Amino acid sequence: MEGGGVGNGSGTTAGTGGSGDDGAVRTLPPCCLKARASVPENDAKCHATVVSGWFTESRSDNDKADKCLYYNNPMWPGEVHSIKVEKILYRGKSPYQEVLVFESSTYGKVLVLDGIVQLTDKDECAYQEMIAHLPLCSIPSPKTVLVIGGGDGGVLREISRHSSVEIIDICEIDELVINVCKEFFPDLYFGFQDPRVRLHVGDAVEFLRNAPEGTYDAIIVDSSDPIGPAQELVEKPFFETIARALKPGGVLCNQAESMWLHTHLIQDMLAICRETFKGSVHYASTSVPTYPSGTIGFLLCSKDGHPVNFLNPINPIEKQEGAIKGGREIKYYNTEMHRAAFVLPSFAKRELATVYTS
């Protein structure tokens, strides 16, 4: 999950169901009432250091002790995740966010944006590989791909495994993220070295508005959590802009939060996408130990045109020459994991069924 996709947000009314319902007022849990409203606490930033050699992703207001790294995130109130720090490698601030890189005891190097873990050496593969190959292995011979966010380069690295791709555009708002990852995460930054990559530093919403209609076979949104400005990335106008930029039969893969924490938000996103995309719309998930709840989800959507069956990849990665070892060996994704990503536990099936059947 990257933090650099959008510069300013339009805002929504807290407590409504979004564009996917009939306009009736809905009661949302406190976490999303806070996260989706433009309130001052959403502007909280991480502080300077680490407590007794441990980075803690979320701490309460009463824990502002000297030498602490503090961030009160309304997306997952009441829980914290700590990682033992061996050495702080970088600490800086861009116009958009605070950036921290440290060496951990168990996960290798860790990238943190505004106090939230974005990736680690050990488990980044589960996110980067799935968000790229779930869409690209579901369509034959993708040629033009756009990445929103993804300034670390990991999604680019995975797209580069697909030899049919001719153009890889990436729109990242925060150039500092790119530069920091170039220095500290060379295995991720490897993706930027592909000659097919065209980097655009700027606001993703503006970039999409200016993209010619029907430009891309696939769009991958590696976005941050929908807090403050980034909430624009889960609203209907943004998805409509994406649909316009896709070719007939083109596909979207969008970061879509955790089914353990945010099924209400996922329901809203599913409803909006079912209105916007006239092809297939599915929710998938993957396991990422250093993300809250240990899982993260994706929305897979196809534009009307050529039918897309996301559940059974038509373009398996195993049959693409050189793809398995491109840049570095694939660690997580394979065709079996692709199919399994769409198998949901009973509680999630029940909660999302109301959207699928509406």
Side-chain angles (χ1 to χ4, degrees), residues 185-259:
F185 298 90
D187 287 347
L188 291 161
Y189 186 81
F190 174 86
F192 279 101
Q193 299 173 8
D194 192 301
R196 296 169 291 178
V197 171
R198 304 189 305 193
L199 171 62
H200 310 269
V201 177
D203 182 273
V205 175
E206 188 65 25
F207 180 86
L208 277 168
R209 288 184 185 133
N210 294 326
E213 185 173 355
T215 299
Y216 298 105
D217 293 304
I219 296 176
I220 298 170
V221 181
D222 181 10
S223 64
S224 55
D225 297 301
I227 297 175
Q231 74 181 47
E232 187 173 7
L233 303 185
V234 297
E235 295 172 354
K236 190 172 184 179
F238 180 69
F239 288 113
E240 289 175 335
T241 308
I242 287 177
R244 176 186 166 277
L246 284 172
K247 296 177 181 178
V251 296
L252 162 70
C253 187
N254 200 105
Q255 190 271 111
E257 302 302 329
S258 167
M259 60 185 163

Side-chain angles (χ1 to χ4, degrees), residues 1 14 18 83 106 140 186 195 235 250 260 263 270 280 286 301 315 330 347:
M1 287 190 298
I83 301 175
T106 53
E235 295 172 354
W260 291 100
T263 48
L270 276 171
S280 301
T286 189
C301 311
N315 185 26
I330 287 182
F347 80 89

